[in-house]
């Protein structure tokens, strides 16, 4: 039962470009929406997270946009760099830390 | 603060055996969650423990079980291993009690079932 849908599955961006990854969720009980970055052989690392009472959050080159009525949120990576090449996962979590992940987006940033 | 640690990092077992994986959360964190990651199914929630109690469980068979000790360390056990259990098993810890909060992941245990 997929509760968080993520797109695209893969993304290729030129260095300096903007990477955009989208997610949609179904369960309105979710109240915490993190994005994780994962490199091969490593565990996921938190990038940025948002709660539904905020429509946007920015940390450095990373921005989350959140649309509560549409049940959608997205990650924007500005000035994408080759070091950003990784798999990105959106997730949604309920109060008891039951976190559901999107399928992941493999980002490749070309030099 | 030290991060989440998982042992062992790699494990090879044969079908029918059982396995126990260990997770030590970040100091002060009382919530430990377990996830299975496979190329086909992605990251799937197994269960979460808070203060030694299982609060929630994902959609996995009863062969998958866990427990948490009074020092918040957690173990996950898989009995009667199947080939399909080959995966990266990730543990994540959080300080949150009654509100969802940041979960910090360990490096995972790579389990191969032959």
């Amino acid at each position: 039962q997929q509760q968080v849908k993520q797109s695209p599955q893969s993304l290729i961006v030129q260095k300096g470009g903007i990477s955009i990854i989208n997610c949609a969720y179904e369960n309105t009980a979710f109240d915490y929406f993190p994005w994780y970055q994962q490199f091969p052989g490593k565990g996921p690392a938190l990038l940025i997270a948002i709660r539904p009472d905020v429509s946007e959050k920015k940390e450095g080159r990373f921005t989350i946009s959140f649309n509560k009525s549409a049940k959608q949120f997205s990650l924007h990576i500005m000035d994408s760099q080759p070091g950003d090449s990784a798999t990105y996962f959106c997730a949604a979590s309920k109060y008891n830390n039951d976190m559901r992940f999107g399928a992941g987006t493999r980002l490749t940033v070309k030099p | 603060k030290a991060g989440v640690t998982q042992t062992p990092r790699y494990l090879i077992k044969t079908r029918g055996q059982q396995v126990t994986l260990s997770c030590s959360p970040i100091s002060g964190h009382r919530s430990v969650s377990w996830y299975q990651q496979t190329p086909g199914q992605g990251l799937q929630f197994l269960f979460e423990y808070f203060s030694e109690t299982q609060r929630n469980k994902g959609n996995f068979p009863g062969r998958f079980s866990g427990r948490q000790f009074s020092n918040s360390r957690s173990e996950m056990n898989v009995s009667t291993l199947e080939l399909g259990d080959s995966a990266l098993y990730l543990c994540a810890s959080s300080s949150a009690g009654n509100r969802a909060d940041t979960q910090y992941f360990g490096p995972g245990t790579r389990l191969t079932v032959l």
Side-chain angles (χ1 to χ4, degrees):
Chain A
Q1 177 184 358
Q2 189 180 11
Q3 296 190 36
V4 182
K5 294 183 180 179
Q6 182 172 346
S7 63
Q9 191 173 6
S10 63
L11 183 61
I12 300 174
V13 174
Q14 290 294 128
K15 179 183 175 181
I18 302 174
S19 303
I20 301 174
I21 305 171
N22 300 299
C23 283
Y25 63 98
E26 300 166 1
N27 192 336
T28 54
F30 291 135
D31 66 353
Y32 183 71
F33 301 88
W35 284 89
Y36 285 88
Q37 178 190 57
Q38 187 176 28
F39 292 103
K42 305 284 187 183
L46 179 73
L47 258 183
I48 187 171
I50 198 168
R51 296 199 187 271
D53 52 348
V54 175
S55 61
E56 185 174 283
K57 183 175 181 180
K58 184 177 180 180
E59 288 183 1
R61 297 185 294 110
F62 302 95
T63 300
I64 297 180
S65 296
F66 188 85
N67 186 328
K68 187 174 181 179
S69 61
K71 293 190 284 186
Q72 295 175 347
F73 58 111
S74 61
L75 175 70
H76 295 230
I77 305 175
M78 311 299 287
D79 188 26
S80 298
Q81 299 296 312
D84 296 331
S85 297
T87 300
Y88 291 81
F89 294 93
C90 63
S93 182
K94 293 183 284 186
Y95 75 97
N96 57 2
N97 286 326
D98 175 358
M99 190 156 65
R100 304 300 166 126
F101 284 85
T105 296
R106 182 169 292 183
L107 172 66
T108 302
V109 181
K110 297 207 164 187
Chain B
K1 269 187 182 178
V4 178
T5 57
Q6 292 187 246
T7 56
R9 292 292 313 279
Y10 302 91
L11 207 49
I12 299 175
K13 292 284 187 179
T14 56
R15 279 183 301 173
Q17 287 187 308
Q18 75 166 19
V19 66
T20 299
L21 313 181
S22 181
C23 171
S24 292
I26 292 171
S27 178
H29 285 190
R30 294 164 63 191
S31 168
V32 174
S33 300
W34 287 90
Y35 297 85
Q36 182 195 65
Q37 186 174 29
T38 59
Q41 299 298 317
L43 275 154
Q44 292 187 284
F45 173 75
L46 278 157
F47 31 66
E48 188 251 5
Y49 286 87
F50 181 80
S51 293
E52 302 179 66
T53 301
Q54 187 182 87
R55 287 200 296 189
N56 202 12
K57 191 176 188 302
N59 190 26
F60 277 82
R63 300 185 297 106
F64 292 82
S65 63
R67 59 178 176 168
Q68 187 180 34
F69 302 95
S70 58
N71 62 357
S72 294
R73 190 177 69 85
S74 177
E75 288 182 347
M76 191 193 93
N77 185 75
V78 188
S79 62
T80 320
L81 284 166
E82 300 177 0
L83 294 178
D85 296 333
S86 294
L88 180 67
Y89 290 88
L90 292 158
C91 157
S93 78
S94 171
S95 61
N98 60 358
R99 191 178 188 196
D101 209 333
T102 302
Q103 294 188 39
Y104 297 92
F105 283 84
T109 294
R110 171 75 63 186
L111 172 65
T112 302
V113 182
L114 302 176

